[in-house]
């Protein structure tokens, strides 16, 4: 399953002075095209050029990751960069089997790395203090840590400031998606209650640290309720009965993600424990659901549509 996670990119400058309502304030986000004479758009391009020919180990070698960029495209007029970010993990010997025969077909040695392609999209309009980044996840696995940490190591010596990438808090989501319906609830790192756990063990169940329990409506076309029923408007709000029921499940998992559907589109929200207005993932359209190797153009078409949706909120006049 493919998804995109949106991030807001900013560079805070404690020395920058801005005037708001005739009052001068010291400390603000820098304009991304002019950070003491340097353009973050060009820094991204230089970073990708320097890391496109061969796989490079991450700065923190304890993470045992390698990466490089591939087939990077640039739209100068709109200040957009997109392409492939290839990442792999090494350092652990593994056996790769044929899932049908269970035969071992390949032994991955310590110096081998399995490489996964992840689509990325960066938009840095001028003049703006905010950028938009979309990073591609496959089967729940993403590359934010590697992508961000490596760019930080490259950019900080150049601009002497920190580039932040935070999950996009989409304030318009509650309004636009208030009537969307919950089609699936996922309990990540699910651990059954002790009494249930004992019963499951009798059936041969072994507790798994990364188990995911997926709940789906019994009836075709059914749902678990609307987003407006399952999310807080404010952290101080009294939760609805449906949200209270969902939050009871938090005792048995690390987080709850819920897939909501509206007019054929799907979005995944975190719910429970006062979480509100955080759009954490955008699920792919149906034509990409079973496509394990989508082309760059296929992902581009989807990503640009998602980017337009978020851009209208970030860069609204």
């Amino acid at each position: 399953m493919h998804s995109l996670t949106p991030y807001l990119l900013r560079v805070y400058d404690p020395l920058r002075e801005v005037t708001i309502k005739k009052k001068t304030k010291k400390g603000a986000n820098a304009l991304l095209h002019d950070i003491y004479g340097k353009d973050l758009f060009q820094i991204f391009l230089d970073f990708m050029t320097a890391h496109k020919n061969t796989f490079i180990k991450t700065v923190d070698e304890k993470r045992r990751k390698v990466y490089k960029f591939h087939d990077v495209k640039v739209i100068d007029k709109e200040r957009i960069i997109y392409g492939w970010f290839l990442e792999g993990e090494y350092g652990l010997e593994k056996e790769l089997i044929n899932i049908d025969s269970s035969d071992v077909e390949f032994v991955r040695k310590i110096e081998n790395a399995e490489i996964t392609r992840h689509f990325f999209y960066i938009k840095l309009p001028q003049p703006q203090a905010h950028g938009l980044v979309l990073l591609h996840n496959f089967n729940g696995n993403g590359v934010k840590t590697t992508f961000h940490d490596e760019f930080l190591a490259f950019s900080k010596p150049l601009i002497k400031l920190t580039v932040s990438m935070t999950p996009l808090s989409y304030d318009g989501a509650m309004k636009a998606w208030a009537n969307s319906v919950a089609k699936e609830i996922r309990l990540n790192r699910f651990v059954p209650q002790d009494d249930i756990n004992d019963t499951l063990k009798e059936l041969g169940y072994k507790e798994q640290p990364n188990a995911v329990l997926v709940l789906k409506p019994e009836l075709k076309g059914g749902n678990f309720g609307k987003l407006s029923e399952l999310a807080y408007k404010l952290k101080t709000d009294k939760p609805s009965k449906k949200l209270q029921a969902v939050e009871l499940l938090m005792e048995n998992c690390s987080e709850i993600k819920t897939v909501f559907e509206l007019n054929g589109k799907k979005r995944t929200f975190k719910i429970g424990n006062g979480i509100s207005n955080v759009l954490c993932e955008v699920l792919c359209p149906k034509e990409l659901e079973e496509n394990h190797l989508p082309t760059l153009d296929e992902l581009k078409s989807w990503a640009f549509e998602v980017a337009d949706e978020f851009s209208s909120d970030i860069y609204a006049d």
Side-chain angles (χ1 to χ4, degrees), residues 51-310:
H51 299 81
K52 71 176 184 178
N53 293 325
T54 59
F55 282 96
I56 299 168
K57 292 181 180 179
T58 55
V59 173
D60 181 3
E61 290 195 15
K62 292 180 181 178
R63 297 190 63 238
R64 298 183 177 183
K65 298 276 190 177
V66 293
Y67 71 96
K68 76 172 185 176
F69 290 91
H70 176 66
D71 205 6
V72 175
K73 308 293 185 184
V74 182
I75 305 176
D76 287 305
K77 186 176 180 181
E78 298 179 56
R79 291 170 59 86
I80 290 172
I81 312 170
Y82 67 95
W84 292 117
F85 183 76
L86 280 58
E87 185 201 56
E89 183 177 11
Y90 64 93
L92 181 64
E93 189 169 297
K94 290 184 177 181
E95 293 182 343
L96 277 68
I97 67 165
N98 182 301
I99 60 172
D100 295 320
S101 66
S102 293
D103 293 335
V104 176
E105 295 194 345
F106 180 77
V107 176
R108 195 189 87 174
K109 298 180 180 180
I110 290 175
E111 64 271 20
N112 296 141
E114 295 177 74
I115 302 301
T116 304
R117 298 186 305 175
H118 293 268
F119 180 89
F120 73 89
Y121 169 102
I122 301 168
K123 182 178 182 179
L124 305 176
Q126 179 180 334
Q128 291 287 345
H130 302 89
L132 173 65
V133 178
L134 301 177
L135 294 180
H136 169 224
N137 313 297
F138 179 65
N139 285 346
N141 298 310
V143 290
K144 193 265 184 178
T145 299
T146 301
F147 188 95
H148 185 222
D149 286 359
E150 293 302 299
F151 183 67
L152 272 183
F154 183 86
S155 62
K156 197 162 187 178
L158 299 174
I159 58 175
K160 313 302 181 187
L161 297 171
T162 299
V163 178
S164 68
M165 267 177 55
T166 54
L168 188 59
S169 178
Y170 187 29
D171 295 333
M174 279 297 292
K175 293 180 180 178
W177 286 78
N179 291 319
S180 63
V181 292
K183 306 295 288 187
E184 180 179 297
I185 296 176
R186 302 175 192 163
L187 281 63
N188 291 334
R189 294 184 175 87
F190 173 73
V191 179
Q193 292 178 347
D194 290 341
D195 53 345
I196 299 175
N197 200 20
D198 290 340
T199 302
L200 292 175
K201 285 179 179 178
E202 291 295 327
L203 296 172
Y205 172 82
K206 293 182 180 180
E207 188 173 306
Q208 303 175 50
N210 294 316
V212 178
L213 177 64
V214 179
L215 307 178
K216 294 188 176 183
E218 181 180 1
L219 300 175
K220 186 177 180 180
N223 63 76
F224 292 112
K226 296 180 180 179
L227 175 59
S228 56
E229 299 174 291
L230 292 166
Y232 289 91
K233 293 179 181 177
L234 297 170
K235 289 185 178 181
T236 55
D237 284 354
K238 182 179 179 180
S240 68
K241 288 183 178 180
K242 287 191 175 183
L243 182 53
Q244 287 177 349
V246 168
E247 290 190 329
L248 287 175
L249 299 173
M250 283 295 296
E251 298 175 7
N252 301 98
C253 64
S254 64
E255 66 177 2
I256 297 177
K257 290 185 177 181
T258 304
V259 179
F260 288 87
E261 185 173 309
L262 182 68
N263 298 328
K265 295 182 179 181
K266 293 181 180 179
R267 301 287 184 267
T268 301
F269 291 81
K270 284 184 180 179
I271 60 174
N273 288 353
I275 296 170
S276 65
N277 293 351
V278 178
L279 184 59
C280 50
E281 287 180 82
V282 181
L283 297 187
C284 67
K286 289 183 179 180
E287 58 267 23
L288 287 177
E289 282 183 4
E290 301 301 324
N291 186 349
H292 297 296
L293 290 171
T295 65
L296 185 67
D297 284 340
E298 287 172 328
L299 289 174
K300 172 198 171 185
S301 178
W302 167 43
F304 273 53
E305 179 184 335
V306 172
D308 286 344
E309 179 181 336
F310 284 103

